[in-house]
């Protein structure tokens, strides 16, 4: 009997810990989605001051589905996606087959192919190190402009 009671307490505690995350997700993700859908059901003129937004239902959706420009852009997007994925898959497969073969420069070629993967991370790390450098960093320069570099004017 105590085992069942212990599990209920754990479940309640787990829900207590998860609820703030659900609320945060609801505020950050679902609220804007609902508001965007609500706005799409109204006639909104962004070039003028808001003087009310009359409800027009699914007219915006019907208009966009009737638009030839919309379908042309969908066709271009699908074509680009299919072609680019097909080309990337074929090239990636051929490179993988090549790098799986034994030849004299295989290690050098593998290293060269890893550089585009590793380089952005390294550049980001160096950039953040420069930004937060205490002597000449951009963030420190910004704080100096605000006169927060003196101990007497610090807020904490």
């Amino acid at each position: 009997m105590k085992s069942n009671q212990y599990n209920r307490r754990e479940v309640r505690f787990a829900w207590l810990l998860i609820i703030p995350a659900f609320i945060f997700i609801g505020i950050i993700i679902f609220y804007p989605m609902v508001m965007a859908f609500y706005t799409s059901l109204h006639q909104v003129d962004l070039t003028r001051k808001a003087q009310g937004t009359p409800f027009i239902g699914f007219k915006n959706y019907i208009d966009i589905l009737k638009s030839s420009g919309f379908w042309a852009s969908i066709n271009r997007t699908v074509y680009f996606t299919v072609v680019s994925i097909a080309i990337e898959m074929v090239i990636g497969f051929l490179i993988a087959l090549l790098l799986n073969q034994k030849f004299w420069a295989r290690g050098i070629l593998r290293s060269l192919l890893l550089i585009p993967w590793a380089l952005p991370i390294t550049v980001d790390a160096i950039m953040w190190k420069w930004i937060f450098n205490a002597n000449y960093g951009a963030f420190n320069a910004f704080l100096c402009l605000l006169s927060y570099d003196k101990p007497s004017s610090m807020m904490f």
Side-chain angles (χ1 to χ4, degrees):
M1 190 73 172
K2 286 187 178 185
S3 173
N4 192 14
Q5 204 173 30
Y6 182 69
N7 288 339
R8 284 185 191 169
R9 268 194 285 157
E10 281 185 348
V11 168
R12 263 190 257 135
F13 183 66
W15 276 107
L16 186 66
L17 293 176
I18 291 173
I19 286 175
F22 282 155
I23 292 171
F24 182 75
I25 289 171
I27 292 170
I28 299 299
I29 294 174
F30 294 118
Y31 176 74
M33 286 174 48
V34 169
M35 288 307 298
F37 179 70
Y38 174 80
T39 303
S40 73
L41 299 176
H42 293 79
Q43 183 176 354
V44 179
D45 187 5
L46 298 176
T47 61
R48 295 187 183 158
K49 225 175 186 179
Q51 298 174 354
T53 55
F55 180 77
I56 58 172
F58 289 102
K59 184 180 181 312
N60 288 330
Y61 292 99
I62 293 168
D63 290 345
I64 199 108
L65 290 174
K66 288 180 180 178
S67 169
S68 62
F70 171 76
W71 290 109
S73 68
I74 291 292
N75 287 335
R76 279 191 296 271
T77 303
V78 168
Y79 175 78
F80 173 77
T81 303
V82 169
V83 169
S84 66
I85 287 176
I87 291 171
E88 290 170 11
M89 291 293 289
V90 168
I91 290 173
F93 187 70
L94 292 174
I95 290 172
L97 286 175
L98 173 69
L99 291 177
N100 201 30
Q101 302 297 316
K102 293 190 186 250
F103 58 95
W104 65 273
R106 182 172 81 166
I108 294 170
L109 192 57
R110 283 181 175 177
S111 301
L112 288 175
L113 286 172
L114 282 177
I115 289 174
W117 170 73
L119 192 62
I121 296 169
T122 308
V123 169
D124 286 345
I126 292 170
M127 180 186 71
W128 285 109
K129 184 178 176 184
W130 172 77
I131 288 172
F132 290 116
N133 187 296
N135 296 323
Y136 56 85
F139 187 69
N140 189 47
F142 175 70
L143 291 178
C144 287
L145 286 174
L146 297 176
S147 298
Y148 283 120
D149 61 333
K150 300 174 189 163
S152 61
S153 66
M154 288 188 135
M155 296 171 54
F156 48 90

